[in-house]
Amino acid sequence: MKLTIKKDLLLDALNKVSKAISTKNLIPVLAGVRFDVTKKKLTLTASDNDITIETTIYANDTEDFTIEKEGSIIIQGKYILDIVRKLPDKYINIELIDELKILIYTENSEFNLNGINESEYPSIDLEESKKKVEISNQTFKDIVLQTAFASSNEETKPVLTGINFNIAGNILECNSTDSYRLARKVIHLEKSSEENYNIVIPSHNLEEFCKILGDDEENIEIHIFNNKVLFKYKNVKFQSRLINGTYPNTSNLMPTDSYLVVTARLDELYSVIDRASILTSDKEKNIVTLETLEDTLILRSSSAEIGRVEEKMRILKNNQENIKISFSAKYMMEALKSFKTDSIDLHFVGEIKPILIKSKDDETLTQLVLPIRTY
């Protein structure tokens, strides 16, 4: 194996696959990056058994990459990444000598690393399904950004640590909940799916995949299998395990009616809640109390040790009803932050019923926050 490659090209590929390298893995070989060089391409693969990432660089696509000799080797991920990142040269040479010795050199630098035989690497199947689902890159990033935060961190309920993707025809519904709040995003796919799917993908894995995605309008292909999902984006394949278990029917949580709808400026409401929560303490779950009086919204919070705060802002209401309700400021602020609109509608059903957050300017997104009893 022998190649010369532009540093930036290799570093970009290594940064992508390195997201799948685990330092805690019990299998030492999985701390490495697999290099596979053929006549026309270099393929890098990394896996931690939870996610697998593969990216390919084609020699005939660029003058910045030439291959002299084919071969395969596994190189310790941490060291190859550090070396490539810190080398000042524009081009880097990588050569395999004596089967397991890797020579990485430039005009003024030379590194000798011990490699691992590629035969020790676990067999990884990155097959593609004949029935793929396609979604735009930007839409996919919005889904993850607007729902992942509401998933649970508690491993006692594994199914709630993921985002539920429910695909039927051309409708994709994504739900995320930790039992105290719910985020829902519903979009129309440009092309209908041949099959219906109901799967749960770990939120953390989806967030890692989003870090690889650019700002272009390229489509992402989703290939769904019984126990895994494969995302294909440009020259990258990203495979994640699926979470076993039945996702709860979140539709039951959604109120179908409301006796009061409050419309407010999103940035102002966020700032008011943020200030009102300054005097709350973590052990009290950042509880703030919201009250409406005519066209005014009042937010209060207090702590026996710290003090109390009261904030007011102007609002629009759809009727003369009023509400007094308490909730977690942290959960409400995270829900508000997921919207990219100027105004927001808070739908109230009752003092102990969920608060529904929507916007007329983005009907694809719904957030729900459960109230907290303060008596």
Side-chain angles (χ1 to χ4, degrees):
M1 182 179 106
K2 190 176 180 183
L3 58 96
T4 302
I5 189 166
K6 191 177 182 182
K7 172 192 165 171
D8 293 348
L9 202 59
L10 181 58
L11 184 59
D12 179 59
L14 284 169
N15 279 330
K16 286 172 180 169
V17 298
S18 66
K19 291 173 176 34
I21 297 172
S22 172
T23 51
K24 300 174 186 174
N25 211 296
L26 298 174
I27 308 170
V29 73
L30 292 183
V33 175
R34 178 172 171 152
F35 279 63
D36 288 300
V37 181
T38 64
K39 287 177 184 176
K40 296 181 180 178
K41 65 184 180 181
L42 163 65
T43 303
L44 303 183
T45 310
S47 178
D48 64 1
N49 280 336
D50 194 42
I51 60 173
T52 300
I53 306 172
E54 178 189 280
T55 186
T56 305
I57 304 167
Y58 293 93
N60 42 353
D61 281 357
T62 174
E63 296 173 2
D64 297 325
F65 174 34
T66 54
I67 296 167
E68 286 188 46
K69 195 176 177 185
E70 297 179 329
S72 296
I73 193 71
I74 296 152
I75 306 176
Q76 289 292 320
K78 177 184 181 298
Y79 298 114
I80 183 67
L81 193 58
D82 277 353
I83 290 167
V84 173
R85 188 187 287 129
K86 292 177 181 179
L87 279 171
D89 306 77
K90 190 176 180 181
Y91 288 92
I92 295 171
N93 302 288
I94 302 175
E95 188 176 348
L96 181 61
I97 48 176
D98 297 336
E99 292 191 2
L100 293 179
K101 299 287 183 186
I102 303 113
L103 180 64
I104 301 165
Y105 61 97
T106 62
E107 191 178 346
N108 298 311
S109 304
E110 184 178 301
F111 291 86
N112 284 277
L113 290 180
N114 295 323
I116 303 170
N117 195 300
E118 92 279 357
S119 63
E120 293 185 34
Y121 209 72
S123 176
I124 292 170
D125 184 6
L126 293 172
E127 66 176 317
E128 297 173 30
S129 165
K130 292 187 177 74
K131 298 174 181 176
K132 64 185 178 186
V133 176
E134 289 195 60
I135 186 170
S136 83
N137 170 20
Q138 209 55 53
T139 302
F140 186 85
K141 283 200 289 188
D142 284 344
I143 288 170
V144 177
L145 183 72
Q146 294 175 319
T147 61
F149 69 90
S151 57
S152 175
N153 297 319
E154 300 290 327
E155 289 298 331
T156 50
K157 292 182 180 175
V159 77
L160 296 187
T161 63
I163 299 175
N164 176 219
F165 279 65
N166 202 329
I167 303 169
N170 70 333
I171 303 291
L172 167 59
E173 180 185 296
C174 295
N175 289 291
S176 181
T177 182
D178 61 3
S179 300
Y180 302 104
R181 53 186 168 168
L182 167 68
R184 172 175 288 178
K185 180 87 171 172
V186 182
I187 61 152
H188 286 80
L189 299 168
E190 288 180 16
K191 188 180 174 186
S192 288
S193 170
E194 290 181 45
E195 281 192 30
N196 293 350
Y197 298 99
N198 192 342
I199 57 172
V200 185
I201 308 170
S203 296
H204 173 73
N205 297 359
L206 290 168
E207 288 171 323
E208 288 300 315
F209 178 51
C210 283
K211 290 174 186 175
I212 294 172
L213 301 174
D215 294 321
D216 49 64
E217 291 300 316
E218 289 274 338
N219 271 7
I220 294 168
E221 293 179 11
I222 308 175
H223 301 265
I224 300 168
F225 302 91
N226 285 337
N227 60 351
K228 64 181 183 180
V229 59
L230 175 74
F231 298 100
K232 190 178 177 188
Y233 165 74
K234 294 207 256 190
N235 62 339
V236 175
K237 287 183 177 181
F238 184 104
Q239 187 165 277
S240 166
R241 69 178 173 90
L242 296 179
I243 299 174
N244 291 326
T246 305
Y247 205 79
N249 182 3
T250 52
S251 297
N252 298 338
L253 295 169
M254 290 286 180
T256 52
D257 57 346
S258 52
Y259 78 83
L260 174 64
V261 180
V262 168
T263 302
R265 280 192 56 82
L266 175 56
D267 53 357
E268 188 183 357
L269 180 60
Y270 183 91
S271 298
V272 164
I273 296 171
D274 194 16
R275 290 195 298 272
S277 67
I278 291 172
L279 301 190
T280 62
S281 53
D282 285 341
K283 67 175 186 288
E284 293 173 294
K285 298 179 185 173
N286 306 102
I287 297 171
V288 296
T289 300
L290 176 152
E291 187 176 1
T292 59
L293 289 173
E294 297 178 352
D295 60 351
T296 303
L297 182 145
I298 305 165
L299 272 161
R300 301 184 183 94
S301 75
S302 62
S303 165
E305 308 91 53
I306 308 167
R308 61 190 299 274
V309 60
E310 181 175 295
E311 286 272 353
K312 293 180 181 178
M313 67 177 284
R314 304 280 290 200
I315 52 166
L316 289 172
K317 297 196 306 183
N318 69 330
N319 58 41
Q320 298 304 307
E321 297 283 351
N322 283 306
I323 186 87
K324 186 176 182 180
I325 192 166
S326 299
F327 51 81
S328 159
K330 175 180 180 287
Y331 288 175
M332 181 61 78
M333 286 164 64
E334 286 181 341
L336 293 175
K337 207 173 178 179
S338 70
F339 287 88
K340 299 177 180 179
T341 55
D342 292 330
S343 66
I344 208 80
D345 294 332
L346 301 176
H347 295 249
F348 298 101
V349 188
E351 292 179 7
I352 56 169
K353 298 282 188 178
I355 306 163
L356 217 56
I357 307 143
K358 294 183 175 183
S359 174
K360 294 180 184 73
D361 299 322
D362 182 4
E363 296 184 348
T364 67
L365 183 63
T366 306
Q367 299 285 353
L368 179 147
V369 174
L370 291 184
I372 296 172
R373 294 192 187 207
T374 54
Y375 52 85

